[in-house]
Amino acid sequence: MILIVIKMPVRPDRIDEFRTHADEYARAVNAEEGSLFFEWSRSVEDPNTFVCIEGFRDSEAGASHVATPHAKAAFDWMSDLVAEQPQIIYIDAPEVGGFGPMGEVKPRS
């Protein structure tokens, strides 16, 4: 599995535009065959920063993702909307297949 976390600082005057594009982009990525998950969240520390967490089946699925028309288009519109260069964590964890249960927290009856 490929796990990617991106912190994307967005220009304050472009937040609404970013959210519209980000929602459309997330739907397109989640529809990809090799996508395990793709989500945006807003940072609790900085309301102008969005955090993306994405998982792909393997490096081949990740490479296919960046070659899609919607990814190429996203890299273009993102460049107009970011306040500074996004920061990324990229982990190739072949033994992991996605999310698993958290042992420390369970719903109470």
Side-chain angles (χ1 to χ4, degrees), residues 102-109:
M102 179 180 174
E104 297 82 5
V105 178
K106 296 179 183 173
R108 291 192 175 112
S109 318

Side-chain angles (χ1 to χ4, degrees), residues 36-82:
L36 301 174
F37 50 86
F38 186 100
E39 297 182 24
W40 290 104
S41 299
R42 203 167 196 170
S43 170
V44 296
E45 295 176 1
D46 178 358
N48 297 323
T49 296
F50 288 78
V51 179
C52 173
I53 179 170
E54 51 191 307
F56 295 94
R57 181 186 61 236
D58 51 29
S59 58
E60 183 179 299
S64 293
H65 161 68
V66 297
T68 62
H70 55 265
K72 290 178 182 180
F75 301 147
D76 186 52
W77 60 255
M78 285 176 187
S79 294
D80 291 329
L81 305 181
V82 294

Side-chain angles (χ1 to χ4, degrees), residues 20-21 27 33 36 57-58 74 90 100:
T20 298
H21 283 301
R27 281 191 290 280
E33 181 181 335
L36 301 174
R57 181 186 61 236
D58 51 29
Y90 178 101

